[in-house]
Amino acid sequence: YFESQNSDELYYSLDRGVGILEYELQLFQYMYSFGRMHYEKLKSAIEVLPKIAVNHTVVDWGCGQGLATLKYLEYQNLSTNSILIEPSLIALKRATLHIKNWVPNISTINKVFDDLIDSDFEIERSSTTTHLMSNILDIEMYSLMKLIRTIESNFEGRNYFVITSPYIDYTRTKRIETFVSHFQKYPSFKLILSITEKKGDWVGTHWSRVLRV
């Protein structure tokens, strides 16, 4: 059905995958155009995480349709508290629909990152948190330092960060490096995975990837 609707105009309305989606056909187009690529990057990063044997909180930053959370749940196979953060209301609703049968407690925040405030996170959380950051840290449309302050102010205890992105250029990758470097000051910091591969370097694909865990 979707292939019959697919068009260049619809594809370009996604703004290279960073636009805030407004209607359902854009959701379909996004998954059709980018879903497999995103899934493979997420698989590479998520499956190096240790298995977490206790209930914990998963925060999906810029969750889109919830693909990162779905892949995470597929790997961990454990009920969690979930926080979905996404500026597109229709994508946020679709993400909630995708995960609602697997997660007992879902909180949704329909905002851009720069508009987040501490009271948005006054919800039940666990002492362990996994942060899923799929194709979001390289985007230059928000303040990276404000995001870091938001995380430090609201998530104590043990935190895992799963960061995936395409390789676009040095400047975009530098944002990811800045984020990672900030948390290196913590004594418990450990870099589990670090991969940077341009197109042609990721064996078996025609994609690029920047992964940090």
Side-chain angles (χ1 to χ4, degrees):
Y1 165 77
F2 175 70
E3 285 184 344
S4 68
Q5 312 297 315
N6 188 16
S7 68
D8 288 344
E9 181 181 1
L10 187 56
Y11 174 80
Y12 288 121
S13 75
L14 304 181
D15 191 17
R16 304 182 309 280
V18 301
I20 298 176
L21 307 186
E22 297 178 348
Y23 51 94
E24 191 174 40
L25 276 179
Q26 287 179 310
L27 301 182
F28 297 154
Q29 178 73 63
Y30 188 97
M31 282 295 193
Y32 181 84
S33 299
F34 305 117
R36 174 71 184 278
M37 175 179 63
H38 292 344
Y39 180 85
E40 292 299 330
K41 289 202 295 284
L42 288 161
K43 184 176 186 291
S44 301
I46 287 172
E47 292 186 357
V48 305
L49 284 170
K51 291 284 189 175
I52 302 175
V54 296
N55 283 343
H56 55 285
T57 298
V58 176
V59 187
D60 197 338
W61 298 85
C63 69
Q65 298 173 65
L67 186 61
T69 296
L70 286 169
K71 175 56 198 168
Y72 183 81
L73 294 171
E74 180 181 79
Y75 173 69
Q76 289 288 0
N77 193 28
L78 182 71
S79 296
T80 64
N81 300 315
S82 179
I83 301 174
L84 302 173
I85 306 170
E86 170 59 42
S88 165
L89 182 58
I90 191 170
L92 185 61
K93 289 180 177 180
R94 184 60 54 92
T96 306
L97 177 67
H98 283 160
I99 72 170
K100 69 176 184 177
N101 288 333
W102 307 98
V103 180
N105 300 307
I106 302 173
S107 298
T108 59
I109 303 173
N110 181 214
K111 290 184 176 182
V112 297
F113 290 173
D114 281 345
D115 290 346
L116 292 170
I117 55 177
D118 288 351
S119 61
D120 290 325
F121 299 96
E122 290 177 354
I123 53 183
E124 181 180 351
R125 297 192 300 276
S126 311
S127 60
T128 298
T129 305
T130 299
H131 303 265
L132 304 175
M133 297 175 153
S134 175
N135 291 52
I136 197 68
L137 280 186
D138 62 308
I139 295 176
E140 298 175 310
M141 300 186 328
Y142 62 90
S143 166
L144 189 61
M145 292 313 300
K146 185 178 187 301
L147 173 62
I148 289 171
R149 287 193 297 270
T150 297
I151 292 170
E152 289 185 315
S153 297
N154 293 283
F155 297 95
E156 298 179 348
R158 175 169 292 185
N159 288 271
Y160 294 97
F161 296 92
V162 178
I163 302 164
T164 68
S165 172
Y167 181 88
I168 299 172
D169 55 37
Y170 171 81
T171 302
R172 297 288 191 92
T173 303
K174 183 64 176 175
R175 280 178 63 89
I176 295 172
E177 298 291 3
T178 299
F179 181 89
V180 173
S181 295
H182 179 86
F183 289 98
Q184 284 180 318
K185 69 183 182 182
Y186 288 93
S188 58
F189 177 88
K190 180 180 179 182
L191 187 61
I192 299 172
L193 177 71
S194 178
I195 295 175
T196 300
E197 293 177 325
K198 300 178 181 179
K199 286 186 178 180
D201 295 337
W202 185 2
V203 176
T205 80
H206 59 276
W207 303 315
S208 65
R209 61 178 177 173
V210 178
L211 311 178
R212 302 289 186 271
V213 179

